[in-house]
Amino acid sequence: MSLAGKESVVDLVVVGAGGAGMAAALFAAIAGLDVLLLERTEFVGGTTAFSGGTAWVPNTHLAATVGSEDSRANAAAFLSRAVGQYGSEELHHSFLENGPAAIATLAQHSEVKFRAYPLHPDYMSELDGSTLCGRALEPLPFDGRRLGDGFTLIRPPIPEFTALGGMMVDRTDIKHLLNFTRSWASFYHAMGLLGRHAKDRLRHARGTRLVMGNALVARLLCSLRQRRVPVWLRAEVHELLLQDGRVDGVRVQHDGGTHRIRARHGVILASGGFNRHPRLRQELLPSAPTHTPGAPGHTGAAIELALRAGARLGNRNLTNAFWAPVSVRQRPDGSTAVFPHFILDRAKPGTVIVDHAGRRFVNESTSYHLIGRAMLEAHERAPTVPAYLIADARALKAYGLGMVRPGGRGLKPLLADGYLVRAPTLAELARKLEIDAAGLTATVTRMNEFARTGLDLDFHRGTTAYERNLGDPAAAPNPTMGPIAQAPFYAIRLYPGDIGASAGLVTDAQARVLTAGDRPLDGLYAVGNDMNSIMGGTYPGPGITIGPGLTFAFIAVQDAARRAAGTAADNRRASVPAGPSSVRERQHA
């Protein structure tokens, strides 16, 4: 529809089409509200499209499918121990109370389907109240061909996370691909993937079998299209409209025109957080060199508009971003590849992470968030950015190393541009990296002794259920450690990567944005990374951004729906007919 020069009225405006924003728009449509979804980039999906797509939501109907015997009280106690003083008991209660309903609503009324993985431990699995499975929910794979021309609207995954020109794989696929020569089941699975991808490439620029974050985004988009929810791409919000102290719409630039969209029952901000906002980044993040692997849309512009309207940012977080170690390489087209090291290499046997002195400073098998934090904290005392992930020839071939695939093929361009460094001895590797050779040699000697005994006396690598799950179950006595002994030796440089915002707009338990006086800014909600994280800068488990993002999107819409119901009741009492259920337009006054 053409809206140039006109003012439109909807029930709800959602700013940002990442996972949380798309979910908010979908929940609104399910609730019978007129909703308009705005996205400043040319794709939907945001950083969710780059992610594993996991949603951490305790006590859903899916927990029983993997034998989980969790409870709300158990989850609340775990969150209290994991997050401590950095969280809010009120927000935790709201999350735990509404999370199961949010997931059930999606399952019953949309194409968004999850599964509980049989073994998916909380990251802080050493804490009482943690679980080995049931809380981490993964989206089911999705056939992108079902979207028709909508398939091209989904933000593609990080290219380095795909194979063979755009074939997506998840943890199940990786397991089969690594074992396809040792198991008939894995062989047939791998051949099925390759055959499907070969057919896809005859008609599409990338594979249409979508998994992880792309699957979640595709399922949300499919559901939105089924319900005919309008999605405006390349739509940049320049102003929050206020009337009598209430946010009642937005001014947006779209399709060559400026539009005023009035929202009867609220505006939901879900623009992805502050991570690419120059001033907020300088104020909220450490000064050490860092990289952002997230999607380009999270500029912080929507947050800045909210601050101008009287909102405030959270300032009690343990850290203002969520972190992961990343490696960086320039692509042939001149763009920069930022590769997050989540699960594939750093906790596998035959690897170690060291600083410029060749010394360890972290447990390599702990969560990626804690490794990123450890790099930043250690760098304050001694040069640790970049750090160096070291592997021997056996480990590189078995597990890969960053952008190096398992099998160790295609090393020449990676060696030529310096992303990967190779040497016949540890001393020569240290010389090429310009780090201390004696320190590196001593560290590897000590690590090899730890690998023999299975006991890491320095950092306790591979001692928790989460850590051991990242290793190689075939390795003994500790699945995360093995000798670093087979030449040649390899290394890549690691940097702290901010993978999402922890600091965001302070909200109450209904996701309503609060002012400096802790009063709700009427009509304005924040969800996803625009909302100050209920985890307070801690990272207790997989999917602790997406799970709360979906849940508080549900909560915000429920609050807006109650507002809509109240308005309708007032209208009936006043004998004034309610507005139509579809987007209506009227000329500017």
Side-chain angles (χ1 to χ4, degrees):
M1 65 182 69
S2 175
L3 297 177
K6 297 182 179 181
E7 181 170 283
S8 302
V9 180
V10 296
D11 288 331
L12 204 60
V13 170
V14 180
V15 180
M22 295 178 79
L26 178 56
F27 284 128
I30 291 170
L33 300 178
D34 292 331
V35 58
L36 173 63
L37 179 58
L38 305 175
E39 167 58 36
R40 67 177 295 139
T41 73
E42 70 273 29
F43 295 114
V44 299
T47 299
T48 299
F50 286 170
S51 75
T54 300
W56 193 85
V57 186
N59 303 306
T60 69
H61 65 284
L62 296 169
T65 65
V66 290
S68 174
E69 297 181 355
D70 201 6
S71 69
R72 188 185 300 177
N74 195 47
F78 172 73
L79 279 178
S80 179
R81 295 183 181 103
V83 181
Q85 63 182 320
Y86 305 105
S88 160
E89 184 176 340
E90 181 185 14
L91 267 66
H92 287 174
H93 174 78
S94 184
F95 167 61
L96 295 174
E97 182 178 23
N98 289 281
I103 297 301
T105 299
L106 292 172
Q108 294 166 13
H109 300 287
S110 81
E111 297 287 341
V112 181
K113 314 294 183 185
F114 289 95
R115 65 187 174 197
Y117 205 74
L119 180 62
H120 211 329
D122 294 329
Y123 289 174
M124 297 183 178
S125 60
E126 70 277 13
L127 295 182
D128 289 343
S130 65
T131 63
L132 297 180
C133 61
R135 292 174 179 169
L137 311 178
E138 299 184 339
L140 294 180
F142 185 80
D143 186 346
R145 294 172 297 189
R146 290 182 56 193
L147 289 170
D149 59 358
F151 175 61
T152 60
L153 302 181
I154 298 173
R155 182 171 296 282
I158 296 173
E160 291 73 23
F161 273 14
T162 66
L164 301 176
M167 183 178 77
M168 296 195 71
V169 292
D170 61 15
R171 66 175 65 223
T172 301
D173 301 328
I174 292 170
K175 172 182 157 185
H176 284 300
L177 289 169
L178 291 176
N179 290 291
F180 83 101
T181 60
R182 292 178 278 182
S183 159
W184 281 111
S186 292
F187 175 82
Y188 288 127
H189 186 97
M191 291 301 102
L193 289 178
L194 295 173
R196 163 70 184 273
H197 184 64
K199 291 180 181 178
D200 279 346
R201 289 309 306 274
L202 295 176
R203 295 188 176 184
H204 303 279
R206 65 184 180 102
T208 62
R209 178 182 176 270
L210 306 181
V211 296
M212 302 187 297
N214 250 227
L216 176 55
V217 171
R219 289 183 172 279
L220 287 164
L221 180 59
C222 182
S223 303
L224 291 169
R225 286 163 72 92
Q226 288 174 352
R227 292 180 176 271
R228 300 180 182 275
V229 173
V231 181
W232 288 7
L233 300 179
R234 299 182 179 90
E236 189 164 356
V237 175
H238 290 293
E239 182 184 2
L240 295 176
L241 303 179
L242 284 87
Q243 185 171 5
D244 299 327
R246 178 182 180 274
V247 175
D248 77 338
V250 298
R251 180 170 62 85
V252 58
Q253 189 78 22
H254 173 67
D255 199 22
T258 298
H259 314 281
R260 294 169 65 87
I261 313 296
R262 294 289 178 181
R264 298 185 190 94
H265 307 303
V267 173
I268 299 178
L269 300 183
S271 67
F274 71 86
N275 296 66
R276 294 187 187 273
H277 190 287
R279 178 180 60 81
L280 292 176
R281 188 173 181 85
Q282 184 177 17
E283 293 175 359
L284 297 175
L285 298 185
S287 58
T290 59
H291 293 272
T292 303
H298 57 313
T299 64
I303 287 179
E304 189 165 43
L305 294 178
L307 295 176
R308 292 176 189 169
R312 63 186 177 91
L313 286 173
N315 59 6
R316 295 177 47 225
N317 300 302
L318 175 61
T319 177
N320 289 323
F322 299 117
W323 299 96
V326 301
S327 52
V328 180
R329 182 178 185 236
Q330 189 174 45
R331 298 187 180 108
D333 64 2
S335 63
T336 299
V338 182
F339 185 95
H341 292 251
F342 290 138
I343 61 173
L344 292 179
D345 51 17
R346 57 184 172 77
K348 294 297 192 292
T351 64
V352 66
I353 296 176
V354 300
D355 62 11
H356 287 212
R359 295 189 295 258
R360 294 175 75 204
F361 60 92
V362 70
N363 172 355
E364 296 87 352
S365 65
T366 193
S367 76
Y368 42 86
H369 175 65
L370 291 182
I371 291 181
R373 280 187 54 204
M375 292 176 70
L376 292 166
E377 292 167 2
H379 191 65
E380 295 178 359
R381 302 184 297 271
T384 316
V385 179
Y388 304 90
L389 176 56
I390 311 292
D392 73 351
R394 188 203 63 82
L396 179 134
K397 183 175 181 180
Y399 313 113
L401 194 66
M403 300 182 202
V404 178
R405 311 287 187 192
R409 297 181 180 88
L411 301 186
K412 187 174 180 180
L414 300 170
L415 291 166
D417 64 19
Y419 172 79
L420 181 68
V421 180
R422 178 175 64 190
T425 67
L426 289 171
E428 178 63 12
L429 185 68
R431 186 191 68 77
K432 288 186 174 183
L433 297 174
E434 298 182 342
I435 66 176
D436 187 79
L440 177 60
T441 301
T443 293
V444 170
T445 299
R446 187 164 175 80
M447 278 297 293
N448 287 345
E449 177 60 19
F450 294 162
R452 186 185 67 80
T453 64
L455 299 175
D456 175 3
L457 301 180
D458 295 336
F459 293 95
H460 312 292
R461 175 169 166 169
T463 56
T464 73
Y466 163 72
E467 293 169 6
R468 296 175 76 85
N469 188 49
L470 290 185
D472 183 344
N478 186 322
T480 73
M481 292 192 291
I484 305 169
Q486 188 176 117
F489 300 94
Y490 296 89
I492 56 177
R493 295 169 179 84
L494 297 180
Y495 297 85
D498 51 294
I499 59 174
S502 173
L505 299 170
V506 176
T507 68
D508 64 10
Q510 285 73 50
R512 297 180 299 179
V513 173
L514 299 180
T515 67
D518 275 341
R519 294 186 303 275
L521 187 54
D522 194 24
L524 188 64
Y525 302 87
V527 300
N529 286 355
D530 280 359
M531 172 185 175
N532 196 68
S533 172
I534 67 169
M535 303 301 174
T538 68
Y539 214 115
I544 55 86
T545 56
I546 293 177
L550 299 178
T551 300
F552 281 94
F554 175 78
I555 292 168
V557 168
Q558 293 300 302
D559 192 75
R562 285 190 290 270
R563 182 191 298 272
T567 300
D570 290 342
N571 287 340
R572 286 193 297 271
R573 284 192 293 270
S575 299
V576 176
S581 60
S582 61
V583 176
R584 58 187 173 87
E585 302 170 8
R586 53 188 169 85
Q587 295 292 335
H588 279 304

